[in-house]
Amino acid sequence: QAPTNAPAGVTSWAHVSVVVHTSPGYKYQTCRALDADGPVFERRQVGGTWGIWRPLGFMPARNVNDTGGHFYGQPQGALGWVNTMTFAGQCNKYMPAYALPGDRFMVVVANGRSDNTLFINPEDGEWIMGLNENHVLDNPNAAVMFIKTPSSGWRAELA
């Protein structure tokens, strides 16, 4: 049984647990879900609102086999995943929206193209590499890790 609002792409679950954490003046819950294939995901609830699912430890991989819009049709669909661009044509996607500092995702170019583009997401307008412009993945063999920073948007590091 998948937990409510299960991470996209994960369909079978081996275990789900909810733990309440209390520290002086601060209370929150975490929900951990073990995917039957191995990855562990966690999300937090603070003040009655659950955050998105984030993988713990290694990042599982998914193929991006379309172009346009959000990764996997979800504003935060790419977060916490290795996203392999397998679409045969130019692959253009929005950066994830509403990411928290420290959130990360990886893009691997596997379609042999040097014109794949990551667009600033119009939902939150977070800059990419400190610039208010889209980011072209101009290396047909690129593997880039993007990390959300507290003050300067998305930063990239070569993987």
Side-chain angles (χ1 to χ4, degrees):
Q1 174 78 17
T4 304
N5 299 320
V10 179
T11 57
S12 58
W13 296 91
H15 179 72
V16 177
S17 64
V18 176
V19 177
V20 176
H21 306 270
T22 306
S23 61
Y26 188 66
K27 179 181 176 181
Y28 66 95
Q29 293 187 85
T30 58
C31 181
R32 286 195 175 174
L34 174 63
D35 175 6
D37 294 325
V40 176
F41 293 83
E42 179 179 85
R43 67 181 180 155
R44 285 185 170 201
Q45 181 189 47
V46 179
T49 303
W50 283 102
I52 68 164
W53 288 98
R54 291 176 170 77
L56 301 177
F58 76 93
M59 292 192 302
R62 294 194 288 190
N63 290 334
V64 181
N65 54 18
D66 65 350
T67 188
H70 299 289
F71 285 86
Y72 318 108
Q74 300 173 1
Q76 297 177 320
L79 290 180
W81 292 88
V82 174
N83 303 279
T84 305
M85 292 183 163
T86 58
F87 183 70
Q90 181 182 12
C91 189
N92 300 321
K93 290 291 181 184
Y94 287 125
M95 295 294 281
Y98 309 113
L100 300 174
D103 280 348
R104 61 195 176 109
F105 72 100
M106 180 180 275
V107 174
V108 176
V109 176
N111 63 0
R113 297 182 64 101
S114 57
D115 58 356
N116 300 303
T117 304
L118 298 174
F119 292 98
I120 291 176
N121 196 312
E123 293 181 37
D124 66 3
E126 288 288 345
W127 290 14
I128 306 168
M129 299 295 293
L131 301 172
N132 188 17
E133 59 187 48
N134 302 321
H135 185 78
V136 177
L137 298 166
D138 58 4
N139 180 336
N141 300 303
V144 184
M145 175 75 73
F146 288 92
I147 301 169
K148 176 67 171 65
T149 63
S151 59
S152 57
W154 290 103
R155 291 289 181 186
E157 61 182 42
L158 294 178

